[in-house]
Amino acid sequence: MSRLKLEHLRTFLTVARLKSVSRAAEALHLTQPAVTTRIKALEDSLGTALFDRSATGMRLTKRGDMLLQYAEQFQHLSELVEEHVVDPSGVDRLMRLGVSETIAQSWLPDFVGALHKKYPQLKIEISVDISINLREQLLGREIDLAILLGPISDYTIDNVILPDVALGWFRAPGGAPDDPIDLSRIPIATYARNTRPYRELRAALFERFGPDVSMFPSSSLSSCFRMVEAGLGVGALPISLGLPLEREGKLVRFDPGWTPKPLSFSASYLGEPRNHLVETAAKMADQIARQEV
């Protein structure tokens, strides 16, 4: 028997868990022929078939099931070595990061800076999108870590719950501070139409004022704040993003007697195959977010 290769065991473990060569190829960022070649090489090395192949997928043979237990032990040992022995400064990898705009506008630079400090050679690709798209990208294995309105309820996903982001009401300065603002008669700038904050705010406004409320949804929070600053409407927007403008006297916060629900975010990633780097990054995101609260 030739010497076993760790990458062959990792490939075997991924195929066994996902029960598909194509899904394993996506998870490992390999081509399907490369995955098939690794499995065949492992089977040749052991002198036995590890999978029963059928139109419905890959099913472990009896010896494949025996190997699965050892492969999981190998993976656990590999994770311990990566966590406790490997020097973070030597990690040379790519992390595909997807974030919602609320995070991109607030603590994303601090988070990326912390990642680069811990992993100087880490390459990071960043995409900013609405949460529903980030969820699909993560499930489709197009990104490695999603920081989005969550958590994601899917058995394949692990979630690190981040601190809530409070929403508040903002208007342009001017007029008497105690002048009441009739939300049924003034445009309201807020999140994009196909987002959870928009749906929840629309439902709350409908309940209080009926269907004629004027809402100006936008995928750009910066545009929302500029619209409010220009006096074109009021905004139901993140307090953390509005505070700097409030301190500069460009915006004023007001209380119409109720506030929208806070936004719940999570740092979400695929649980299999386990990736210590992504898991560590998710925990770092939580630490950075809590410093911003």
Side-chain angles (χ1 to χ4, degrees):
M1 183 183 73
S2 60
R3 182 175 299 176
L4 296 178
K5 293 185 178 181
L6 188 58
E7 63 267 23
H8 291 175
L9 285 173
R10 185 177 293 113
T11 303
F12 162 78
L13 189 57
T14 305
V15 174
R17 286 172 171 169
L18 298 179
K19 297 181 175 58
S20 165
V21 169
S22 60
R23 289 198 294 268
E26 292 176 4
L28 295 169
H29 309 304
L30 296 171
T31 63
Q32 291 188 38
V35 171
T36 301
T37 298
R38 287 186 179 185
I39 296 299
K40 181 65 166 58
L42 182 59
E43 290 179 325
D44 290 345
S45 175
L46 296 173
T48 186
L50 299 173
F51 293 97
D52 286 328
R53 297 158 173 83
S54 68
T56 58
M58 306 281 284
R59 187 165 57 89
L60 288 170
T61 63
K62 183 177 179 180
R63 292 195 176 274
D65 193 53
M66 292 173 60
L67 178 62
L68 180 63
Q69 302 173 46
Y70 292 107
E72 288 174 336
Q73 294 176 29
F74 270 111
Q75 185 193 43
H76 181 61
L77 178 60
S78 175
E79 290 166 356
L80 290 175
V81 169
E82 185 175 354
E83 182 175 359
H84 298 290
V85 180
V86 175
D87 184 358
S89 64
V91 173
D92 183 9
R93 295 187 189 173
L94 170 67
M95 180 182 293
R96 301 166 301 168
L97 177 63
V99 297
S100 69
E101 196 194 0
T102 303
I103 305 304
Q105 295 272 355
S106 51
W107 49 264
L108 178 63
D110 293 334
F111 174 54
V112 172
L115 280 175
H116 276 148
K117 184 176 181 180
K118 186 175 180 67
Y119 303 105
Q121 298 188 62
L122 180 66
K123 302 173 184 65
I124 302 175
E125 290 181 357
I126 301 173
S127 61
V128 179
D129 209 332
I130 59 176
S131 292
I132 189 172
N133 292 341
L134 294 175
R135 179 185 186 278
E136 294 306 312
Q137 290 167 24
L138 182 62
L139 290 171
R141 302 180 185 273
E142 298 172 31
I143 56 178
D144 303 305
L145 177 64
I147 303 177
L148 75 174
L149 288 164
I152 296 177
S153 297
D154 189 284
Y155 76 98
T156 65
I157 302 296
D158 289 341
N159 299 284
V160 174
I161 306 302
L162 305 179
D164 287 349
V165 174
L167 296 179
W169 291 101
F170 292 92
R171 63 173 177 83
D178 296 329
D179 282 352
I181 294 180
D182 187 353
L183 296 179
S184 67
R185 297 180 177 276
I186 189 169
I188 299 169
T190 193
Y191 283 78
R193 188 178 301 277
N194 51 343
T195 63
R196 192 170 72 207
Y198 171 84
R199 294 195 304 270
E200 291 178 351
L201 178 63
R202 182 185 60 184
L205 290 168
F206 182 89
E207 181 181 344
R208 287 169 173 82
F209 305 109
D212 295 329
V213 175
S214 176
M215 297 180 68
F216 279 8
S218 174
S219 59
S220 169
L221 291 177
S222 297
S223 297
C224 289
F225 278 111
R226 286 197 296 270
M227 174 181 168
V228 175
E229 186 181 344
L232 300 177
V234 299
L237 299 164
I239 293 175
S240 57
L241 300 184
L243 278 176
L245 296 171
E246 191 178 3
R247 294 192 188 103
E248 295 172 11
K250 296 179 179 179
L251 290 180
V252 174
R253 218 176 331 160
F254 68 97
D255 181 8
W258 65 282
T259 54
K261 291 170 55 178
L263 306 180
S264 300
F265 285 87
S266 65
S268 303
Y269 56 94
L270 288 160
E272 296 293 347
R274 190 175 177 191
N275 186 315
H276 173 69
L277 174 62
V278 175
E279 187 175 340
T280 299
K283 294 175 181 176
M284 290 175 63
D286 182 45
Q287 294 170 1
I288 297 295
R290 293 187 185 281
Q291 292 173 11
E292 297 292 319
V293 174

